[in-house]
Every structure is written in C-alpha cells, then in structure tokens.
Amino acid sequence: VAIQPPDTPANPAVTPAARVPPMAAPFAPGGTSAVPPASVPLGFLAAAGVGLCLFGFAVWFAADRIVESPTHPGAIAAVHVGMLAFLTTAVLGAAHQFTPVVARRPLRSVRAARLTLVGMVLTAWLLPSGFAHGPEGLVLAGGVVGALTVLLAAWNLSGPLSARDGGVPLVGLRLSITFLVLTVAFGVVYAVDRQAGWFPLLPHRVLAHAHLGLLGWLGITYVAVAEKLWPMFLLAHRPTARAGAWAVGLLGAGVPLLAVGLLFAVTPLATVGGVVTVAGLGCHLTSLGTVVRHRRRPLELLHGFLFV
C-alpha cells in the first residue's frame, strides 16, 4: 500500500503554490486597504498636467515683463500658475497617495480629498486671474479658498501622519504639510494687505513667502518621498539612512531661519538659515550617492531622469 507523504496535497490539481494567498502590491507594504481610490491622485495629477501646459502659456504671455519687471502683475500671475496650478496641485495629489502608503493608515475621508482637489483648482485660477487682470476681489477670494483647502488637506492627512512607524519619510511629510500651512497663511496675509495696506510688500518679505513654499513645502516633500522611492527604484539595501534623516532635519531647521531672516531683513540670520539649508541639500545628494552605491539593479534610462 502506497502511503501518501504528509506534505503532498490530497488533490494533485491543487499545488502548494496555488494555496499561497496573493501578495499585496509592493508599493503598499501594509496592504491596499489604506490606499485611496486611484481617482484621487490621478485627479490631482490630471489637473496639474493642465496647469503645467497653461503655465507655459502664462510665461509666454508675460515673458517681456518677467526679466524687466519681475514684480509686474503679469509676472506674478505666471509664477502663481506654476506654483499652484502645477506644482502644489501635483504634490498634494502625490501626498494623498503616498502618505497612507508609508503610514499604512487611510485618509480620514476620501470625500475630503476630492473637495481638496476642487478647492485647489479654484485657488490656482482665482489668484493668478486676480493678479493678471483683476478685479482685486479675486485675489482675496483665492486666498480664502486656498486657506480653507489647505486646512482641509492638513486635517485629512493628519490621520496617516499620526502614525509612529513611518520613519524619515513620514517625519518629512509632517514637516512639509506644516510648511504648506505656513506658506498659505503668509499668502492670505499678503492678499488681504493688498486691499488694507497694513505694510508695504517689500521684496524681502515676498522672498520669505517664496522660500517657505519652495524649500519648506515642495523641497522637504520631495526629499521625504525620495528617501522612500530611491531604494525601491534601484533595489538598494543600504546599511543606514542617516544622510536622509540629516537632510530632512537640516532643511526643517534651516528654512524657518532663512524665512525669518528674509522677512525682517536680518542678514546674519538669513545667512545662517541659508547655510543650514544648503547643508541639508548636500545631505540629500549624499543619500542619493549611498543608494546608488548599494544598488542591485543596473543603471537604465529611467535613472537618468531620476538623477536630473
């Protein structure tokens, strides 16, 4: 009598491989339950694509003013199309997708994410339109809508951001959302001041606003996301992520010093903030070099895009 080995399945048609449950998507280590519907990030990215194309037209129309008079309303409108309709819209969409994946916690509300998209699109076009041709009330309306939109996004993302095991990427995203709220708060104050005239909008004050947005919001978000995606793109198993942690920490410390120094025209403080910020960017490049050295995948065309 042939005795069946205990490891052999009773039904030969059912192999051991067939009994293994399907693995979750590699991009979502905690499973797919935390990931929002694809329509959420794709909606943001589609709107950002439109914004990128129209940003090109806005720069074209304002080209003669951008060089000769960068504070001209047409130039300011073009800059805000790029910052709001393209960059902020795209990065907010990425944050709504990436943050739940890293934290393995869902957004507080998918409906709030969709409302954030609507509010962001309204903001992205009310403000530049008001700057370019008026009426002035469009600027104030865009500032108010933008403030409410960003507060809604911060509340929605606070669910996954409250997780404690997301590592450096999650810490960086917490910082970047904080800088986003600060950037919009500055913008609302400036929008109201255009009507109330509390203080002159001197160039160094506008620079403080710009650096909070470019380095604090967009910069730290990029650094935080890269610290998660670079090892995935290059199949790298580096021994430590210390350089990435230093990059996030130094940027988070340097940007406020730089912005405050610019805001109040305190040159030594702005210089210290600038040096700390540059050091953070240097650590970011060092982190990239570490990932490249420990890669287990040959360099391809896609990595050329990544390096650029």
Side-chain angles (χ1 to χ4, degrees), residues 83 87 91 172 175-180 183 207-224 247-259 262 270 273-282 284:
M83 279 294 297
L87 289 172
V91 174
L175 287 172
S176 70
I177 295 299
T178 301
F179 280 114
L180 172 62
T183 303
L207 283 176
H209 174 56
H211 281 76
L212 280 176
L214 287 170
L215 292 174
W217 155 231
L218 296 174
I220 294 181
T221 301
Y222 173 76
V223 171
V248 171
L250 290 174
L251 281 172
V255 170
L257 297 177
L258 176 60
L262 290 171
V275 170
V276 174
T277 300
V278 170
L281 296 174
H284 180 56

Side-chain angles (χ1 to χ4, degrees), residues 6-304:
D7 292 337
T8 303
N11 183 1
V14 180
T15 64
R19 296 202 306 270
V20 177
M23 295 179 64
F27 189 64
T32 58
S33 59
V35 180
S39 58
V40 171
L42 290 179
F44 280 93
L45 294 178
V50 175
L52 173 60
C53 296
L54 295 180
F55 174 49
F57 283 106
V59 173
W60 179 16
F61 295 149
D64 57 337
R65 303 288 187 179
I66 289 176
V67 175
E68 297 179 359
S69 179
T71 58
H72 186 273
I76 295 177
V79 168
H80 279 76
V81 171
M83 279 294 297
L84 296 175
F86 169 44
L87 289 172
T88 296
T89 302
V91 174
L92 260 183
H96 279 78
Q97 171 75 13
F98 189 77
T99 307
V101 169
V102 174
R104 297 188 292 274
R105 289 188 182 184
L107 299 171
R108 292 189 184 275
S109 169
V110 173
R111 181 175 298 177
R114 302 189 194 282
L115 288 176
T116 300
L117 171 59
V118 173
M120 198 63 243
V121 171
L122 288 175
T123 303
W125 296 110
L126 286 174
L127 273 175
S129 298
F131 286 133
H133 52 69
E136 186 65 25
L138 289 180
V139 176
L140 181 59
V144 172
V145 173
L148 295 175
T149 298
V150 167
L151 290 175
L152 179 63
W155 168 80
N156 200 11
L157 292 169
S158 66
L161 287 176
S162 62
R164 297 184 179 182
D165 58 348
V168 173
L170 201 63
V171 173
L173 288 170
R174 291 186 194 126
L175 287 172
S176 70
I177 295 299
T178 301
F179 280 114
L180 172 62
V181 174
L182 289 175
T183 303
V184 173
F186 267 61
V188 172
V189 172
Y190 293 157
V192 175
D193 181 69
R194 286 169 62 92
Q195 295 182 345
W198 297 327
F199 53 84
L201 285 174
L202 300 176
H204 62 270
R205 289 174 177 161
V206 178
L207 283 176
H209 174 56
H211 281 76
L212 280 176
L214 287 170
L215 292 174
W217 155 231
L218 296 174
I220 294 181
T221 301
Y222 173 76
V223 171
V225 171
E227 284 301 313
K228 184 71 174 181
L229 295 185
W230 279 347
M232 294 172 58
F233 289 160
L234 290 161
L235 298 180
H237 297 276
R238 51 185 174 173
T240 177
R242 187 175 301 170
W246 274 101
V248 171
L250 290 174
L251 281 172
V255 170
L257 297 177
L258 176 60
V260 172
L262 290 171
L263 181 64
F264 297 104
V266 182
T267 302
L269 185 59
T271 301
V272 171
V275 170
V276 174
T277 300
V278 170
L281 296 174
C283 290
H284 180 56
L285 295 178
T286 302
S287 178
L288 173 60
T290 304
V291 174
V292 172
R293 280 199 309 271
H294 292 88
R295 73 186 188 277
R296 298 185 180 181
R297 176 178 181 175
L299 297 180
E300 303 171 15
L301 179 60
L302 68 92
H303 300 118

